[in-house]
Amino acid sequence: MYHFGVWSNEMSGTIPKSIGLAKDMEIVDLEFNRFKGTIPEEVYGLENLRKLWLGSNVLTGTISNNISTLKRLTQYHAFINQLTGTIPKSLFTIPGLTEVDILVNRLVGFVPQEMCDALNLRYIGLSDNKLKGNITDKIGNLVNLRKFHIAKNKFTGSIPESIGNCRKLREFYMQKNAFKGSIPEELGNAPLWKLNLNGNKFSGSVPEKIWSHPSISELHLDSNDLTGTISPSIQFMQNATIIKLQNNKFEGSIPEEIGFLNQIGNSTSEPRF
């Protein structure tokens, strides 16, 4: 058997250690159930495993350093559980890793620098934990990154200009942290669809590349210390459905060009690139 899936049931109990005997297993999908207990070490003996989906259960314990033995793993999902401890460096040494989704847990500490060496990553989901530190300049190495979710943690520092190298980035969620500094112009290089910087300490003016970004659907800049005026270039945000600017220090009047935003309040699908 290569695919075992019990996704979206009402199953409970623990993950049996005997799962490690299924050496041909490539996909394990236990998401959206009520499994509890720790992730058995025997899972890391499944050398053919490509997708390990454990999200939305009641799993406890830590992410084992032995996860690096899963050399063929491409997707690791353990979101919405009760995992504790730190994120092991070994997770990001898996060569073909494309997705890490461990949001809504109880993880602490710093994000390993090795994350930015995992060049195939497309999705990083770390939101709703207790992680700290800053975004390293090496984030620009992740040229395949599509979604970067780090909201509701304890991150500090600024957004590095190297983020502009992430030319495939569509979703950037970093709300409710303690980031500061200016929003780099380089962020506008990405084909962003959703940008959420709400609830930080960003200051300075909003770059013209953001005001005029043609693909942004949702722009959340509220509850920061941003200054300046709302640029007339906002007229070029033709895909925008939500723009939130409240609780900042903007001045001046609302530009007449606001009338060109025909999509505000309408739901749109993700643009294709």
Side-chain angles (χ1 to χ4, degrees):
M1 181 170 63
Y2 79 96
H3 185 163
F4 180 67
V6 292
W7 178 84
S8 193
N9 279 286
E10 297 180 3
M11 300 185 69
S12 57
T14 59
I15 302 173
K17 294 181 179 181
S18 58
I19 196 171
L21 299 175
K23 298 299 183 181
D24 294 329
M25 194 79 73
E26 295 184 14
I27 301 173
V28 173
D29 184 358
L30 309 182
E31 292 186 343
F32 299 99
N33 280 285
R34 300 172 186 170
F35 294 113
K36 61 182 180 180
T38 60
I39 303 169
E41 286 291 315
E42 286 76 7
V43 168
Y44 307 116
L46 299 175
E47 59 184 24
N48 292 309
L49 198 63
R50 293 185 293 109
K51 298 177 181 180
L52 181 56
W53 293 337
L54 306 174
S56 197
N57 281 287
V58 201
L59 297 172
T60 55
T62 61
I63 301 173
S64 173
N65 282 315
N66 290 328
I67 195 167
S68 61
T69 63
L70 301 176
K71 299 297 184 183
R72 298 186 179 182
L73 193 69
T74 60
Q75 297 181 11
Y76 178 64
H77 294 182
F79 58 86
I80 315 179
N81 279 288
Q82 297 176 15
L83 299 177
T84 55
T86 59
I87 303 173
K89 296 178 181 180
S90 57
L91 174 61
F92 298 109
T93 65
I94 301 172
L97 195 65
T98 62
E99 294 185 10
V100 174
D101 190 349
I102 47 179
L103 54 80
V104 194
N105 277 284
R106 300 172 183 176
L107 300 169
V108 299
F110 296 95
V111 177
Q113 296 284 320
E114 287 77 3
M115 181 185 76
C116 294
D117 296 325
L119 303 183
N120 290 307
L121 279 173
R122 296 184 178 186
Y123 172 48
I124 300 171
L126 307 178
S127 297
D128 280 273
N129 282 286
K130 298 178 180 179
L131 301 168
K132 60 183 179 180
N134 52 34
I135 303 176
T136 172
D137 286 338
K138 291 176 65 179
I139 192 68
N141 293 348
L142 300 181
V143 294
N144 291 303
L145 190 62
R146 268 78 163 174
K147 299 180 180 181
F148 190 30
H149 296 181
I150 57 174
K152 298 181 182 179
N153 280 287
K154 299 179 180 180
F155 291 119
T156 56
S158 59
I159 303 175
E161 294 179 359
S162 60
I163 194 74
N165 295 332
C166 301
R167 297 296 183 100
K168 297 179 181 179
L169 186 62
R170 298 182 185 180
E171 295 182 6
F172 191 12
Y173 295 168
M174 57 188 307
Q175 67 267 29
K176 296 185 179 178
N177 280 285
F179 288 109
K180 61 182 181 180
S182 60
I183 302 171
E185 185 87 15
E186 291 80 3
L187 184 57
N189 293 339
L192 292 164
W193 181 42
K194 294 182 179 181
L195 176 61
N196 196 329
L197 310 183
N198 156 263
N200 283 283
K201 300 177 182 179
F202 289 111
S203 57
S205 59
V206 178
E208 281 295 307
K209 280 189 175 181
I210 300 298
W211 284 131
S212 61
H213 205 292
S215 66
I216 288 180
S217 173
E218 295 186 15
L219 178 63
H220 301 260
L221 302 180
D222 42 316
S223 299
N224 281 285
D225 293 318
L226 297 169
T227 56
T229 60
I230 300 175
S231 173
S233 299
I234 199 171
Q235 65 182 299
F236 299 112
M237 296 183 68
Q238 288 299 304
N239 199 51
T241 62
I242 297 173
I243 298 176
K244 288 190 173 184
L245 307 174
Q246 64 265 30
N247 295 323
N248 279 287
K249 298 177 181 178
F250 290 114
E251 298 176 336
S253 59
I254 299 173
E256 292 291 333
E257 288 81 1
I258 195 75
F260 292 102
L261 299 180
N262 297 322
Q263 294 297 326
I264 290 291
N266 294 327
S267 177
T268 61
S269 58
E270 182 177 0
R272 296 182 182 272
F273 293 95

